Amino acid sequence: MESTKNLPELINAVTSELLRLRYSPVTISKCNAVWQKLLSYTQAKDLLHFSEKLSESFLLEYYKYPADYSGEFPYGTRIALRAVRMLGDYQLYGIILRKRKKQQPSCPDGFTDAIRGFVLYSYQSRNTVKTVERKVFIVKCFIEYLTMQNVSTCSGINKQHASGFITSILGLKKITINQYLYKLGCFFRFLHSEGSSSVNLRMAIPQINDAKERRIPTVWSPKEKSVACPSHLILRIAYHILLTKEPYKELGTEYLAEREREREQRVIRQLQLKGYQILKVS
């Protein structure tokens, strides 16, 4: 990194770039918190410009990086590293370098129709676009495994293939494995319902014991729930008021209906981009 950029100007430029790239307000506020610490640090050192040496000494003094870490870094340290790296990238290249998206696994022709049908099935189940994309990614990973096992169609899938694929992902984190198992089970259920598989391979998927944490405990009494629900809503409203610095506005009864219409249009656009034709039946 070259020591040629005035730090306050650099911070303002990076903040503007983050806003242009539509980073979330939470991400920007976290980065700004780190940058303010860095600004105070440079002022105490009587420095004006950002440099690699400055960033290294700042991270060592404030976050003990890399001296005290031998394993995974704490969340706060990762945020600080990311914020400092943004400054360095922008000073060097004039842009904020972003992670390259993972390449989607390939899908042979024998599975194309099954993937398309599964996408429609998922949208009919009221899954969000993000959830459907994640499902398709996991199914394509499974199909890639099937290709290595010389399986070219859905009718050739058996329990041994499912078991072998599950064994191949056992090195992943527990939460990731649970996601794979659940979404793979959805795909197997779809294949069985469509007649593409004579056996319900969903039964070959191990049971997921870790249930999702509920927002409100089911053991609470109605009185406790009646107190917790409004309190939770008020806290969320207060959080957004503090975050956006804007007064509270009552959205009205049409808000939910409008959101539902927007969601419907978004799903339609996503399907049209993938080549589907949508006809509304009145």
Side-chain angles (χ1 to χ4, degrees):
M1 302 179 194
E2 300 295 334
S3 303
T4 57
K5 199 77 172 178
N6 182 285
L7 184 57
E9 294 177 355
L10 179 62
I11 291 174
N12 290 335
V14 173
T15 303
S16 300
E17 183 67 8
L18 292 178
L19 291 171
R20 187 186 69 81
L21 294 173
R22 297 185 179 181
Y23 274 68
S24 70
V26 176
T27 300
I28 296 175
S29 65
K30 288 178 180 178
C31 290
N32 265 312
V34 176
W35 294 335
Q36 292 307 313
K37 290 181 182 179
L38 178 60
L39 197 56
S40 301
Y41 179 77
T42 56
Q43 290 172 352
K45 297 287 185 180
D46 198 21
L47 299 172
L48 294 176
H49 299 92
F50 180 76
S51 65
E52 184 175 3
K53 186 176 180 181
L54 171 67
S55 63
E56 288 177 352
S57 60
F58 166 73
L59 291 171
L60 182 61
E61 184 168 330
Y62 272 78
Y63 298 94
K64 307 301 180 187
Y65 171 83
D68 288 354
Y69 303 119
S70 57
E72 186 177 358
F73 299 143
Y75 179 72
T77 304
R78 296 202 303 270
I79 292 294
L81 288 171
R82 183 185 183 190
V84 171
R85 188 178 294 116
M86 284 180 180
L87 295 178
D89 290 341
Y90 194 84
Q91 181 164 275
L92 277 175
Y93 310 111
I95 59 173
I96 295 175
L97 301 180
R98 309 175 80 176
K99 287 184 178 180
R100 185 178 179 182
K101 291 186 177 180
K102 293 181 180 179
Q103 186 177 1
Q104 285 282 337
S106 59
C107 182
D109 295 337
F111 296 98
T112 304
D113 291 339
I115 291 290
R116 289 177 179 171
F118 184 55
V119 169
L120 285 174
Y121 172 81
S122 300
Y123 280 125
Q124 289 170 359
S125 301
R126 301 181 66 83
N127 290 158
T128 63
V129 174
K130 197 72 176 177
T131 300
V132 174
E133 289 177 352
R134 184 62 180 166
K135 281 185 174 181
V136 171
F137 175 80
I138 290 174
V139 170
K140 284 185 176 180
C141 290
F142 175 61
I143 290 174
E144 201 169 52
Y145 171 82
L146 293 175
T147 304
M148 292 187 291
Q149 304 298 318
N150 298 320
V151 178
S152 57
T153 60
C154 292
S155 58
I157 305 174
N158 56 37
K159 293 182 179 180
Q160 286 72 29
H161 296 137
S163 177
F165 176 72
I166 293 170
T167 303
S168 70
I169 64 173
L170 290 180
L172 302 176
K173 291 183 178 180
K174 188 175 182 180
I175 186 172
T176 305
I177 293 175
N178 287 344
Q179 290 177 0
Y180 270 70
L181 295 180
Y182 172 72
K183 291 172 173 59
L184 196 59
C186 293
F187 180 63
F188 287 157
R189 185 165 57 245
F190 161 75
L191 292 180
H192 184 62
S193 65
E194 293 294 313
S196 301
S197 175
S198 58
V199 180
N200 187 3
L201 296 172
R202 173 69 183 84
M203 306 305 295
I205 302 294
Q207 292 292 326
I208 302 173
N209 296 324
D210 293 339
K212 290 185 178 179
E213 184 178 350
R214 301 180 184 274
R215 291 188 176 183
I216 299 178
T218 55
V219 296
W220 282 14
S221 66
K223 184 178 180 180
E224 290 173 323
K225 292 179 181 179
S226 66
V227 173
C229 289
S231 302
H232 181 248
L233 178 60
I234 291 171
L235 286 173
R236 288 171 58 193
I237 292 172
Y239 169 78
H240 285 287
I241 290 174
L242 294 173
L243 182 66
T244 61
K245 309 296 184 184
E246 295 179 358
Y248 172 72
K249 293 187 296 184
E250 181 60 48
L251 298 175
T253 56
E254 289 294 323
Y255 174 69
L256 292 177
E258 181 64 27
R259 283 192 63 184
E260 183 64 25
R261 286 193 291 269
E262 290 177 356
R263 180 180 180 277
E264 181 180 323
Q265 292 299 320
R266 186 168 61 251
V267 171
I268 290 174
R269 286 196 299 270
Q270 290 286 338
L271 290 172
Q272 288 174 341
L273 288 173
K274 295 179 183 295
Y276 295 99
Q277 293 183 352
I278 310 299
L279 297 177
K280 186 173 182 179
V281 180
S282 57

